Amino acid sequence: MISVENHIGKITVSENFLTELIRRAVCDCFGVADVCSVNTFRSAVSAITGGRLFKSKGVSVRTNDNGELYIDLHIKVSYGTNISAAVRSITHKVSFTVEEAVGISVKAVNVFVDDMNY
């Protein structure tokens, strides 16, 4: 659970909801083929189970004492995609989606391009 207290009051959001919201926002961006698993173990388990075991694959969310979110994304892009434009688009869309849906400010969105879909 992620809890933040601001001028509106206390906001509590489940981590599963937040990671799924972010994952869907990322997958809707142009040039993104998929989100990738963060490490080799998760990647192997995701391949075997079809992604059912680790629902938050490729999305890591953490918060600081001020209630600001830090989001790490691991993605796979489509061949021919302008990576810098795609990363800017993803950063903007994820920040906007989280702030609109949940009301928590996003301090940073770190995008790691791990793979390319040929």
Side-chain angles (χ1 to χ4, degrees):
M1 296 294 249
I2 296 173
S3 296
V4 177
E5 193 164 335
N6 59 17
H7 67 283
I8 299 172
K10 187 172 184 175
I11 301 169
T12 304
V13 180
S14 76
E15 197 168 335
N16 289 337
F17 170 77
L18 197 57
T19 55
E20 187 63 22
L21 177 74
I22 293 167
R23 192 185 66 74
R24 287 178 188 236
V26 169
C27 288
D28 287 343
C29 289
F30 176 77
V32 176
D34 198 7
V35 289
C36 299
S37 295
V38 178
N39 61 31
T40 309
F41 173 73
R42 283 187 176 219
S43 181
V45 171
S46 264
I48 293 169
T49 64
R52 292 184 308 270
L53 191 57
F54 294 118
K55 298 251 186 241
S56 65
K57 72 173 193 171
V59 179
S60 174
V61 179
R62 58 191 191 283
T63 184
N64 65 7
D65 294 336
N66 297 335
E68 298 169 324
L69 287 178
Y70 293 89
I71 301 170
D72 295 332
L73 304 169
H74 293 265
I75 63 168
K76 177 193 279 191
V77 295
S78 301
Y79 180 77
T81 300
N82 182 338
I83 294 173
S84 63
V87 167
R88 280 193 307 271
S89 172
I90 291 166
T91 302
H92 176 71
K93 185 167 186 172
V94 167
S95 296
F96 179 78
T97 301
V98 170
E99 289 175 6
E100 282 292 308
V102 183
I104 300 173
S105 67
V106 177
K107 180 69 173 176
V109 178
N110 302 311
V111 181
F112 302 96
V113 179
D114 291 344
D115 200 1
M116 184 177 288
N117 195 9
Y118 295 103

